[in-house]
Amino acid sequence: MQKILFYSALTIISVLGTSCAQVFHTPDAYTLAQNQKTIAIIPPMVAIAANKKISAEAMKEQQKTESVNFQREMYSWMLKRKMQGRITQDIQDVETTNALLKKAGYPDTLLTTAELCEKLGVDGIMTSNYSLSKPMSEGAAVAFAVLFGVYGATNEVAVTLSINDCMNRKLIWNYSHKFSGSLGSSHSRLVDGLLRNASRKMPYTYRE
């Protein structure tokens, strides 16, 4: 029975806030966000802690992969809330977003917020930055749990989310937070924890 409980515990995902979130919004953020009909999720900028075992080229490819993973998870989360009626805006399909960005030469060609809006043909854009680190291997986390009865963090993510209004060409909302995930933490779990917390103040999901 103890073995069953132990291995079951390994499959439980824990996403916890490790610091207080910092939130900025303009006085008209809610009004402007509610006037937006279509929004796009820009591929996140992803930074990964240096690893001597990984080459610079491999690290660059990993960052690209992580960017796509996080973008898709953010899109899935937003789309689910759209289907639940908690978000009224349409969310541009990420395939369309990425195809239009690639056609515009992004990210090799730097684009302003106004240019991103124009290229994508949307009313609002969500940008994000993810900084990933792995303070404890999963093997070490298991050993830590055996010794102390709790699991240490195996993934840490520092995140910044921003929403820009295209018509007014300005930042209307910004959110910064740091999360940690325990054993087996996945992109979907990390994004779910992040956006669940952020949505309490996100102008697309909260009501004045």
Side-chain angles (χ1 to χ4, degrees):
M1 182 64 179
Q2 288 182 335
K3 285 187 177 181
I4 294 175
L5 290 175
F6 176 75
Y7 286 109
S8 295
L10 297 187
T11 65
I12 297 175
I13 309 301
S14 174
V15 181
L16 304 171
T18 58
S19 62
C20 294
Q22 296 182 351
V23 181
F24 158 83
H25 62 85
T26 59
D28 56 356
Y30 175 81
T31 300
L32 293 180
Q34 294 308 306
N35 287 335
Q36 295 174 7
K37 293 182 179 180
T38 306
I39 60 177
I41 300 172
I42 306 299
M45 299 295 292
V46 177
I48 302 176
N51 188 327
K52 295 180 180 179
K53 297 180 181 180
I54 302 177
S55 67
E57 188 61 32
M59 181 66 76
K60 186 177 181 180
E61 289 302 313
Q62 185 176 353
Q63 290 172 336
K64 288 181 179 180
T65 299
E66 297 289 4
S67 176
V68 172
N69 288 336
F70 280 118
Q71 182 193 29
R72 291 186 182 280
E73 292 299 338
M74 291 171 67
Y75 172 74
S76 295
W77 193 95
M78 298 285 284
L79 189 62
K80 182 178 180 180
R81 272 62 191 177
K82 166 74 173 178
M83 294 174 65
Q84 294 172 341
R86 296 175 59 187
I87 294 177
T88 59
Q89 296 77 9
D90 290 327
I91 301 97
Q92 188 176 74
D93 180 82
V94 292
E95 299 293 342
T96 299
T97 299
N98 293 344
L100 291 172
L101 290 176
K102 184 177 181 180
K103 185 177 181 180
Y106 184 86
D108 295 326
T109 299
L110 296 179
L111 299 175
T112 64
T113 298
E115 289 172 333
L116 286 172
C117 290
E118 181 181 355
K119 299 295 184 182
L120 297 175
V122 294
D123 305 303
I125 59 173
M126 179 180 289
T127 59
S128 56
N129 292 276
Y130 288 79
S131 180
L132 312 179
S133 61
K134 198 165 187 177
M136 185 182 295
S137 68
E138 299 209 348
V142 172
F144 190 86
V146 171
L147 290 173
F148 302 105
V150 294
Y151 290 99
T154 57
N155 292 290
E156 285 189 353
V157 185
V159 186
T160 300
L161 299 177
S162 297
I163 293 174
N164 284 268
D165 184 69
C166 293
M167 180 173 291
N168 291 274
R169 298 188 178 186
K170 70 176 184 178
L171 173 71
I172 61 173
W173 182 82
N174 179 267
Y175 170 94
S176 298
H177 205 355
K178 181 180 287 186
F179 286 84
S180 62
S182 188
L183 280 173
S185 53
S186 62
H187 293 89
S188 61
R189 290 288 184 170
L190 288 170
V191 168
D192 183 66
L194 160 70
L195 292 180
R196 276 180 182 273
N197 188 291
S199 65
R200 297 169 188 167
K201 294 296 183 180
M202 186 184 295
Y204 294 135
T205 52
Y206 85 102
R207 296 293 180 265
E208 289 188 319

